[in-house]
Amino acid sequence: MFQNDENEINPEEARVLLRKIVADQDKEALWEWIREFVGLEIPRKAICHDHCAPFDFVADYIFGLVDFAVVLANRSGGKTMDFGVLDSTMAFLQADTEIATVGAIQFQAQKCYEYFNRFNQKFPFADNIKSSTISKTKMKNGSEVQILPGTMSGVNSPHPQLVFLDEIDLMIWQILQQALSMAQSKGAVRSRTVLTSTRKFANGPMQRMINEAPEKGAKVYSWCIWEVVEKLPSTGPMRDEIESIFKGQLPSNIGQAEGYYSWRDTITKKKTLDDEVWQTEWICSRPGLKGVIYGSSYSDE
């Protein structure tokens, strides 16, 4: 759809094109723009009746349709990768915009930076980079992106307009509350906050934020393994094994799946995990109070 060769389209033309897509709220064109320039095909089919597709969240955010969101997704559900896409895209799209992504733990922050840095090496994002470290990336258009660990000091100093909080179920509640105070409107850019996590605990931070979403005015997005799994084989040994392993547990429209997570790995998780872990972290049902899923909170001790 788009020519990303620098001889065909320059970075400013790519930005103008993205701005038009956003103004028109053209979801199909946005998906194509991300595929062409970021190099990702973000799943866009909702498979379970009460879920959305990952791209529904990404598109709503870029179109400016949500200011406060809670995103529940499975492990390997692309949450951190989506934040990397939004970090890169929003910094490229909007001038003078400060963005911060907070990982609950250092590894999560590092993972987000790796996605963000990889995308920024591509055209047209690379042309906008002025300097880049994990602590701060400065853009030529005046925007900045910080990738921070979820520590008390980490979430207290910056006050960006756009804040993404990753894997909040691993975040201490008091630190999460401090992080919720980070976002601050500046100039023409309003403050916006997104929280995301795989739900691990029956009454942990993620469940609490989901419960409080209506009164706090937060929009809840949910997806699971079925929204990100690859296309279902039509016939053959793999199809037979899938039907044998899941025995009628597949959603009725699983045939519409178009994701990236392999069926082989999905089968392995189903066969090797405790059923409550499978249901909680991969199907995204609410956990009970037994087994390795802790009842209310987690401590390294």
Side-chain angles (χ1 to χ4, degrees):
M1 183 176 180
F2 310 118
Q3 293 292 325
N4 66 356
D5 189 297
E6 294 185 47
N7 294 322
E8 300 293 335
I9 183 173
N10 63 45
E12 185 56 31
E13 288 170 334
R15 183 182 286 113
V16 169
L17 178 59
L18 180 58
R19 286 175 178 161
K20 183 179 187 307
I21 290 170
V22 171
D24 295 341
Q25 294 192 6
D26 188 335
K27 203 168 180 178
E28 180 65 24
L30 178 63
W31 189 86
E32 293 286 356
W33 194 97
I34 290 173
R35 180 175 69 167
E36 185 70 29
F37 296 119
V38 182
L40 295 177
E41 296 184 359
I42 301 175
R44 49 184 171 170
K45 297 288 186 181
I47 304 301
C48 300
H49 75 278
D50 56 346
H51 287 175
C52 68
F55 187 66
D56 292 332
F57 157 65
V58 172
D60 280 2
Y61 192 88
I62 294 175
F63 291 158
L65 301 180
V66 59
D67 288 341
F68 187 26
V70 178
V71 180
L72 171 68
N74 59 292
R75 292 190 65 173
S76 299
K79 304 179 297 299
T80 305
M81 181 176 65
D82 291 341
F83 278 179
V85 172
L86 293 176
D87 285 340
S88 298
T89 303
M90 297 305 294
F92 176 74
L93 174 65
Q94 298 183 174
D96 302 316
T97 301
E98 298 172 25
I99 305 170
T101 292
V102 179
I105 56 177
Q106 181 66 41
F107 174 78
Q108 206 68 34
Q110 180 66 39
K111 184 177 177 183
C112 184
Y113 179 72
E114 289 173 0
Y115 282 125
F116 172 66
N117 190 48
R118 187 176 79 196
F119 301 151
N120 281 333
Q121 294 177 24
K122 298 175 179 287
F123 176 90
F125 307 105
D127 183 75
N128 193 38
I129 302 299
K130 185 176 181 181
S131 63
S132 183
T133 66
I134 189 170
S135 60
K136 182 177 289 189
T137 297
K138 294 184 177 183
M139 311 294 177
K140 294 177 182 177
N141 66 353
S143 292
E144 296 181 353
V145 177
Q146 291 181 274
I147 312 294
L148 305 167
T151 62
M152 191 65 78
S153 60
V155 302
N156 263 276
S157 55
H159 291 286
Q161 295 108 322
L162 310 184
V163 175
F164 302 108
L165 307 178
D166 196 14
E167 292 296 354
I168 68 165
D169 235 16
L170 298 177
M171 194 175 289
I172 297 171
W173 183 256
Q174 290 85 350
I175 293 178
L176 175 58
Q177 293 305 297
Q178 293 297 312
L180 288 172
S181 295
M182 290 174 65
Q184 179 177 319
S185 300
K186 298 174 187 175
V189 184
R190 69 186 189 274
S191 63
R192 304 167 70 188
T193 301
V194 177
L195 301 81
T196 187
S197 191
T198 296
R199 182 171 46 196
K200 299 178 182 294
F201 315 118
N203 298 300
M206 189 59 176
Q207 186 59 48
R208 185 168 174 179
M209 293 305 301
I210 290 173
N211 293 344
E212 296 177 0
E215 65 182 84
K216 292 183 181 296
K219 183 170 183 178
V220 177
Y221 296 84
S222 302
W223 65 82
C224 72
I225 180 62
W226 305 133
E227 274 76 37
V228 299
V229 76
E230 65 186 356
K231 184 177 180 181
L232 182 70
S234 56
T235 58
M238 178 61 74
R239 176 61 179 263
D240 294 340
E241 187 175 4
I242 291 169
E243 292 181 350
S244 173
I245 293 295
F246 294 100
K247 298 177 181 176
Q249 298 177 33
L250 297 174
S252 59
N253 62 337
I254 190 64
Q256 296 182 36
E258 59 171 17
Y260 51 81
Y261 199 80
S262 77
W263 276 105
R264 172 54 56 202
D265 286 349
T266 303
I267 289 170
T268 299
K269 298 300 186 296
K270 173 62 175 172
K271 290 170 67 175
T272 58
L273 290 172
D274 177 275
D275 185 62
E276 188 159 355
V277 176
W278 165 257
Q279 293 293 332
T280 300
E281 299 192 7
W282 292 86
I283 303 301
C284 294
S285 61
R286 186 171 180 178
L289 301 175
K290 64 178 183 178
V292 298
I293 306 299
Y294 292 86
S296 59
S297 61
Y298 169 79
S299 169
D300 281 334
E301 297 177 358

